[in-house]
Amino acid sequence: MSPHHEIHRSHRIGWLRAAVLGANDGIVSTASLIVGIAASDATHDEIVLAGVAGLVAGAMSMAAGEYVSVSSQADTEQADLKRERKELDEDGDHEHKELAAIYVARGLDPVLAGQVAEQLMKHDALAAHARDELGISETGAARPIQAALTSAATFAVGAVLPLLIVLFAPETDLIVPVSAASLLFLTVLGMLAAYSGGAGIMKGAFRVVFWGALAMGLTAAVGSVFGTAV
């Protein structure tokens, strides 16, 4: 009998988080930058240059931030696994009792818990303790490079969207079309992210649109008041 495999939404939580964060930040930061500079009466070329610079800098910042953050998580996981491996080598009986106690706490009969712990440790002791004692699994394991590349790519995709509006919209008034289009992009992104994660679609859309509108409104106000690029 072949093993049964199921695909759950939790299996994609790692890359989904990085993708949504990257695209959302790309749209919000680039659109806000463009709106703020447009409000300061900058030229069209200056607005485009600022947008492109924001795209490149933002993508690299997202990649670096995700890589450092997830690498730290990966280092912690590896340190915990190294310690657990040492404890298994030095005192396997104690580790068996520890694992059995975990299963008892989850509702198993003590005798059955001991049998389950014994069988799992015979199969892969380190994996059993990593999963049930440390909470480390293959699904949720830290993947720094994947997170960095995903964040950088999705940030760039998100940042390109308001830049395209700048290129094709009338040069005389960029604030309204960039803001409106960016809020539309954020709405679609929020709905897709919520749907992929199994959350409420309207709630997911509202929270990204709210913060995006707030960011663009504040930068527009700063650009208008000070009359300089922000």
Side-chain angles (χ1 to χ4, degrees):
M1 182 178 178
S2 61
H4 176 61
H5 297 287
E6 292 184 352
I7 303 299
H8 297 282
R9 288 186 171 92
S10 60
H11 294 171
R12 52 180 177 241
I13 191 64
W15 67 260
L16 179 62
R17 170 191 168 276
V20 171
L21 179 62
N24 180 80
D25 200 21
I27 295 172
V28 172
S29 61
T30 306
S32 297
L33 182 65
I34 290 171
V35 168
I37 294 179
S40 70
D41 295 326
T43 66
H44 185 266
D45 288 343
E46 290 173 338
I47 295 172
V48 172
L49 177 61
V52 173
L55 185 157
V56 175
M60 292 305 299
S61 176
M62 288 292 293
E66 280 292 320
Y67 185 82
V68 171
S69 175
V70 180
S71 291
S72 298
Q73 178 186 341
D75 291 342
T76 301
E77 290 177 354
Q78 290 303 314
D80 284 343
L81 290 174
K82 182 178 180 180
R83 178 180 178 182
E84 194 64 33
R85 187 181 291 109
K86 180 180 179 182
E87 291 176 350
L88 285 167
D89 292 338
E90 293 178 350
D91 194 349
D93 289 340
H94 173 75
E95 292 301 305
H96 173 267
K97 294 177 182 178
E98 188 175 45
L99 192 60
I102 292 174
Y103 298 144
V104 170
R106 292 180 181 177
L108 292 185
D109 176 87
V111 175
L112 179 58
Q115 293 173 343
V116 171
E118 180 180 0
Q119 290 296 316
L120 289 177
M121 289 183 67
K122 282 183 179 180
H123 176 68
D124 190 336
L126 182 61
H129 281 268
R131 180 182 61 252
D132 295 321
E133 181 183 348
L134 303 177
I136 300 174
S137 65
E138 183 179 353
T139 300
R143 295 179 174 84
I145 295 178
Q146 181 191 61
L149 293 177
T150 300
S151 294
T154 53
F155 181 97
V157 171
V160 162
L161 297 176
L163 269 175
L164 290 175
I165 304 302
V166 173
L167 295 175
F168 292 105
E171 297 183 10
T172 54
D173 185 15
L174 290 174
I175 295 178
V176 173
V178 170
S179 298
S182 297
L183 291 177
L184 177 61
F185 297 147
L186 288 173
T187 300
V188 174
L189 175 64
M191 293 175 69
L192 288 175
Y195 176 78
S196 298
I201 293 179
M202 296 308 298
K203 180 180 179 182
F206 173 78
R207 56 193 176 197
V208 295
V209 169
F210 172 80
W211 290 106
L214 180 62
M216 284 182 276
L218 289 175
T219 52
V222 171
S224 178
V225 171
F226 293 98
T228 57
V230 294

